Amino acid sequence: MPKYYEFKVAGCYLYFTSKCVVECMHVHASDEELTEEGSAKFFVRDDGSSLMQRKGRLNDREIRIIQKFIAEHYREMYQKWAQYSLEGFYRGY
């Protein structure tokens, strides 16, 4: 599972799975196993904003912290994503 960073944000690792690179750029967030099951999922737009598709086990405070972090770091996160996927940012479809 590629992690965007080795440290946790709001107690969660931010990552993507090798089988999910066929979708547009997104971020899974989980404090446990780095799988899709039980994780939160945020689709990332080209302006850094994100759309939460799945809440997982996160509370509202953790969601706000993670979305703020994504907005501040999405460009460098996209560089990591682009090493594994040809798909771009979320465009609303």
Side-chain angles (χ1 to χ4, degrees):
M1 303 301 144
K3 293 180 195 169
Y4 288 105
Y5 300 98
E6 291 301 316
F7 55 86
K8 290 183 175 183
V9 176
C12 295
Y13 286 111
L14 305 181
Y15 61 94
F16 53 95
T17 66
S18 58
K19 65 182 176 183
C20 70
V21 295
V22 297
E23 297 179 308
C24 59
M25 184 190 171
H26 60 276
V27 176
H28 289 281
S30 176
D31 63 347
E32 297 177 5
E33 294 181 35
L34 304 184
T35 63
E36 291 189 56
E37 186 175 327
S39 70
K41 185 175 182 179
F42 303 88
F43 284 107
V44 183
R45 296 182 179 110
D46 60 2
D47 65 355
S49 64
S50 59
L51 173 70
M52 184 178 61
Q53 182 195 37
R54 185 174 56 241
K55 185 175 182 170
R57 298 182 183 107
L58 300 182
N59 62 42
D60 291 341
R61 180 180 171 276
E62 292 164 330
I63 290 167
R64 283 191 305 275
I65 291 169
I66 289 170
Q67 286 186 306
K68 182 178 184 217
F69 184 88
I70 291 170
E72 293 171 352
H73 301 277
Y74 77 99
R75 287 186 183 104
E76 62 192 51
M77 294 172 79
Y78 182 75
Q79 291 175 356
K80 179 79 168 190
W81 173 265
Q83 293 175 15
Y84 294 86
S85 177
L86 298 176
E87 300 300 322
F89 292 104
Y90 177 74
R91 301 220 185 273
Y93 45 84

